Amino acid sequence: MKLKPFHVMKAIYPCIWMNQKAREAAAFYCSVFPDAKIEEENDLVAMWSSGGEKFMLLNGGPKFKPNPSISFYSIFPDEKQLEEIWNKLSVGGMIMMPLDSYPWSKKYGWLEDKYGVSWQLESNVPEGISQRYVPAFMFTAAQFGRAEEAIAFYTSLFPESSSLFISRYGDDAGDQAGKVNHAQFMLSGQRFAAMDSSFTHAFTFSEGMSLVVPCDTQEEIDFFWEKLGEGGEESMCGWLKDRFGVSWQIVPAKLGEMMADPEKGPRVVQAFMKMKKFDIQALQDA
């Protein structure tokens, strides 16, 4: 049964955990990607966007790091532009799959940049897509084999959601046979990707990369906090881990606006630092 009471939502966007280098990293990404600009900067976060698609960088200290369990499938049909972006991102980083021609793409490569963020650069444009950056989940270790379950779960919660396609490993793929090779799905009108991998990886989902769900109402916050948190783990300040270990932030859409107020902002921060699930009315009262 579908449980989607909301018809329109703000865009979901990624939050990348940084070790006190949010401003530096935001400036770097704005020098790499087209149509990029700084949206907001303070001591806690730096927000930047490319082509209107938003990223948050969080000064969280050394506790967590981003890793390839969530990467960004990044689509640039202009191969010269793609190569320029690749060359800039690769400085100080690590190549995971060389930029080359592959059976599924004329030009593709996967790398981890100097901040530990993973990018899959792709020249082929999927039919009907205008989105440039597609968050891609890799289900590894204890989560291997759960990609299809996760897609069904996520698309049951968010409005404007559906499974677009699922490609599976063939019978010759050993213990990966029948699991998800590559899948794409929509959440709130945005495209996401997922795959299973049984290879030995030194990473899995963590707070190093989370997804922010901006909510206009307390009803939305209550719904996503309850549903995404089922079988997972609650944390502080609107953070939770779902049953697959993926980290989400369920936040008021106007939180940034409230924090930006010179007089009220510090009180808002003090208030939400004591909260697990956000209480919009309590923040407004602060």
Side-chain angles (χ1 to χ4, degrees), residues 79 90 102 139 149 171 256 259 271:
E79 292 185 22
S90 62
Y102 292 89
F139 290 78
E149 176 191 350
D171 293 338
M259 291 173 62

Side-chain angles (χ1 to χ4, degrees), residues 64-76:
F64 302 110
K65 296 179 180 179
N67 67 57
S69 62
I70 298 181
S71 60
F72 298 107
Y73 193 76
S74 307
I75 302 164
F76 296 97

Side-chain angles (χ1 to χ4, degrees), residues 11-28:
I12 301 166
Y13 59 89
C15 174
I16 305 168
W17 193 284
M18 291 278 161
N19 187 8
Q20 308 306 326
K21 292 186 176 181
R23 289 177 187 266
E24 175 190 313
F28 170 70

Side-chain angles (χ1 to χ4, degrees), residues 240-266:
L240 60 79
K241 281 187 178 181
D242 67 24
R243 65 186 69 175
F244 308 101
V246 176
S247 290
W248 300 80
Q249 297 183 54
I250 315 301
V251 305
K254 292 187 176 181
L255 182 61
E257 182 181 321
M258 286 189 267
M259 291 173 62
D261 186 296
E263 178 185 350
K264 301 177 182 177

